[in-house]
Amino acid sequence: MLISTQTAGFAEKFGDHDSIKFLAKVGFDALDYSMFNILNSNHPLCKNDYREYAKSLKKTADENNIIFNQSHAPFPSYIQYPNENQIKNGYNEIIISAIIKAMEIASILGGKIIIVHPITLLNYSYHEQKNFNINFYNNLLPYCKKYNVKIALENMWNWDDKEKKVTPGVCADSNEFTDYLDSLDKDYFTACLDIGHAEMQGSGSLSAVELINTLGHDRLKAIHVHDNDKINDLHTLPFTQQLNWDEIINTLKNINYDGDFTFEADNFISRFPVELYLNASLLMLDTGRYLVKKYEL
């Protein structure tokens, strides 16, 4: 099982190329390339030569003996109630093109999976929201085939600003998650289980364990690993908060999970001064190795 981490937080400090070199030096096997800045006009991915930029990232990774196992598309995938500025900028039209571009970039980097968030629609029935999402993903299916990448849906949560609390999100419920996946082409759509999201009270999920068991071996092919206090989406290192990692790892083992072990725990790293990033990243990697070893025993 490869141990990887998303690149977002590191790229903010060091830039893409130096982040690749840094994480290779730490000893990670692979990288989950974050494309959260693809709509930023100053980012190289927004330029006309984005393909050459992506090829240069692949070259840097090759030279440093590390691979891209997966990528993360920009989000949100759709805004139900865009503000005036988002309407003016045409966000809901631009984001579709950006996701398709992200799929192409993922292919250039050599990854086989790209995470694309499902869409939340408030005040819609279950079937209306599901149909909207299935149409959204099916419109991306030709690009899955063109770029030979598989889209991973992720279990989400919402925030009630009035009540100041987490509320259920799309694919948080295990039956809903499987219903979505079983309505899509299994050759090109899969699940990325965000373990932290699954454990948040009010998210709509019973637990990560319940989601793992329901998704099972055939549907679950990627995970995002991070810890929290079961209330807030903290994105921090396992064993620093409240999740039961022995139970989670044993359940992954029971379904014979055969995907990678990908951290999305940047908030653990970002709390340290940059001079301690290496030490903190080494601890993250060692934590991953510890958990993977428990899986393999």
Side-chain angles (χ1 to χ4, degrees), residues 123-224:
N123 303 315
Y124 273 51
S125 71
Y126 175 85
H127 292 291
E128 287 171 333
Q129 180 168 254
K130 179 192 169 186
N131 288 339
F132 191 95
N133 274 281
I134 298 304
N135 286 334
F136 164 70
Y137 285 117
N138 278 331
N139 285 334
L140 296 175
L141 178 58
Y143 301 98
C144 292
K145 296 177 179 179
K146 180 177 180 178
Y147 298 124
N148 191 30
V149 293
K150 183 175 286 192
I151 287 176
L153 284 65
E154 181 177 342
N155 52 309
M156 304 306 298
W157 57 274
N158 296 321
W159 177 255
D160 186 325
D161 197 50
K162 183 177 180 181
E163 299 293 329
K164 305 297 181 186
K165 65 178 184 180
V166 170
T167 60
V170 182
C171 293
D173 176 81
S174 60
N175 292 322
E176 179 177 331
F177 209 162
T178 57
D179 184 25
Y180 274 45
L181 291 169
D182 292 348
S183 300
L184 293 164
D185 188 329
K186 65 181 180 180
D187 290 331
Y188 291 100
F189 295 92
T190 189
C192 174
L193 175 62
D194 188 298
I195 291 173
H197 291 177
E199 293 283 334
M200 294 168 66
Q201 294 176 9
S203 69
S205 167
L206 295 178
S207 68
V209 164
E210 192 255 350
L211 270 165
I212 293 166
N213 278 325
T214 305
L215 289 169
H217 171 82
D218 292 341
R219 298 187 191 93
L220 182 58
K221 297 300 176 183
I223 55 176
H224 275 157

Side-chain angles (χ1 to χ4, degrees), residues 242-286:
Q242 301 299 317
L243 274 59
N244 186 333
W245 290 98
D246 283 341
E247 187 178 33
I248 290 166
I249 294 299
N250 285 337
T251 309
L252 288 169
K253 187 173 182 177
N254 288 342
I255 68 158
N256 192 27
Y257 170 72
D258 60 1
D260 296 332
F261 188 97
T262 300
F263 282 109
E264 202 176 53
D266 285 19
N267 287 345
F268 170 75
I269 303 292
S270 65
R271 296 179 67 88
F272 289 93
V274 71
E275 292 86 356
L276 294 177
Y277 265 42
L278 178 59
N279 301 70
S281 300
L282 286 167
L283 177 58
M284 180 184 287
L285 177 60
D286 284 343

Side-chain angles (χ1 to χ4, degrees), residues 107-119:
S107 177
I108 293 171
L109 295 176
K112 298 301 181 184
I113 291 176
I114 182 167
I115 290 84
V116 179
H117 285 186
I119 296 164

